[in-house]
Amino acid sequence: RRKKLVISGAPLDLNASRTPQSTAEAELRANERARRVQNVVKWCESFGPVRKIDTKDDGSLHVYWKDWEAADMVSGVLFCVIDV
């Protein structure tokens, strides 16, 4: 069974429940979210080749690596960060 990383929460959300005051603010939010997703993709690719990244309806990203070693390394890195 392949491992996947699920990224969700506030860093990608950008207060989705709050309605933008203008089209300029909506555009800024969309650009900021795209920039954040690109940064997440770059971070994921730094561990190894990525097979695919899915964006789900709830806004979360599901990351799948080509090599199981990369996915295993990411789960070890995140466990160390979260466990501290």
Side-chain angles (χ1 to χ4, degrees), residues 20-53:
Q21 299 298 320
S22 66
T23 56
E25 184 180 350
E27 187 176 324
L28 284 173
R29 283 188 188 181
N31 289 340
E32 179 65 17
R33 186 179 194 294
R35 187 184 64 79
R36 289 179 183 192
V37 169
Q38 287 173 348
N39 288 337
V40 167
V41 170
K42 286 179 189 176
W43 179 81
C44 292
E45 289 174 340
S46 71
F47 291 99
V50 173
R51 184 167 48 98
K52 69 177 180 175
I53 298 178

Side-chain angles (χ1 to χ4, degrees), residues 59-72:
S60 65
L61 299 175
H62 292 219
V63 182
Y64 302 86
W65 280 269
K66 289 182 181 178
D67 302 324
W68 67 268
E69 294 94 349
D72 203 41

